[in-house]
Amino acid sequence: MEAAMGRQRSFDTDHVIEQAMLLFWERGYEAASMAELSAAMGLNPPSIYAAFGNKQALFERCTAHYVKHVAAYAPRALDEEATAAKALRRLVSEAIEAFCTEQRPKGCLLISAATNCGKGSECAQELLAGYRQASESMIADRIRRGIADGDMAVSVKPDLLAKFVSVLIQGFAAQARDGATADALHGVANLALRQVEVSL
């Protein structure tokens, strides 16, 4: 191969992004150092910079990977259920299972990675806030669809209910991080959602 074409990368991009994602998830964006990222990814810092750019650019790749692979349950739950109420229940239930799995860090990357971010990490904070807002908007859109389809009362305020569900899910992520079990969180979810469904 001609030198002008450059050297081929000798690593699995998805694998190293996954490893970086797990470290950001566990340590937070600001606390995760380049030395730790290098060790987790099995790449030296120059290789990381050459392949992914700076720490912020790497983090952007990791959050996109998280949304596409780990949090893929969310759009599926909202799209596949026949009614909005069933979609919201499934969304909350699958979020709890994702937050409490033993296969990955507990909680949610989009919340945990923002912990203890100070000045200099505004871009990362804005990125995470944008993902959380997009999730809330997706929930509100599903509620509006339920109202249009006639399976949810016209008196329901989509943005307010979406905010309630988002706050509930984010609270579950924090609780899972603190060691709450999936069974305990499902119990709280059932209590909260029953109260909502009574008013629909």
Side-chain angles (χ1 to χ4, degrees):
M1 182 177 294
E2 295 181 6
M5 295 180 66
R7 295 175 59 188
Q8 288 188 330
R9 292 173 185 167
S10 58
F11 58 85
D12 182 327
T13 300
D14 284 342
H15 174 73
V16 297
I17 287 292
E18 175 87 7
Q19 298 311 304
M21 178 196 75
L22 294 173
L23 182 66
F24 280 128
W25 192 343
E26 187 65 45
R27 299 274 288 132
Y29 173 77
E30 193 162 289
S33 68
M34 284 305 298
E36 290 173 318
L37 287 164
S38 176
M41 298 168 75
L43 298 173
N44 59 40
S47 294
I48 295 174
Y49 287 120
F52 304 108
N54 59 20
K55 182 180 177 181
Q56 171 67 27
L58 174 61
F59 184 63
E60 290 173 5
R61 291 284 296 273
C62 291
T63 51
H65 182 88
Y66 175 88
V67 170
K68 181 178 179 180
H69 297 285
V70 179
Y73 64 84
R76 284 200 303 266
L78 294 174
D79 290 342
E80 293 177 358
E81 294 299 323
T83 68
K86 288 181 179 179
L88 296 181
R89 272 199 169 270
R90 177 175 165 185
L91 171 65
V92 171
S93 178
E94 293 191 10
I96 290 170
E97 291 301 317
F99 297 159
C100 294
T101 181
E102 298 296 333
Q103 307 304 313
R104 296 183 296 268
K106 298 297 177 66
C108 172
L109 170 72
L110 303 181
I111 298 169
S112 299
T115 304
N116 297 325
C117 281
K119 289 184 177 180
S121 299
E122 291 90 348
C123 289
Q125 294 183 66
E126 290 172 4
L127 175 71
L128 295 170
Y131 275 118
R132 293 193 298 269
Q133 184 56 54
S135 175
E136 188 173 315
S137 296
M138 183 170 60
I139 296 169
D141 287 344
R142 182 62 185 90
I143 294 166
R144 290 188 183 93
R145 196 172 101 203
I147 294 170
D149 291 345
D151 62 70
M152 192 161 275
V154 295
S155 59
V156 170
K157 296 179 173 59
D159 292 335
L160 183 61
L161 181 53
K163 177 70 73 178
F164 173 84
V165 173
S166 294
V167 169
L168 194 64
I169 289 173
Q170 290 179 30
F172 288 153
Q175 285 283 306
R177 186 85 171 178
D178 288 343
T181 65
D183 285 346
L185 297 182
H186 281 303
V188 175
N190 285 332
L191 179 63
L193 293 176
R194 275 202 303 269
Q195 296 303 312
V196 170
E197 289 165 354
V198 166
S199 65
L200 297 181

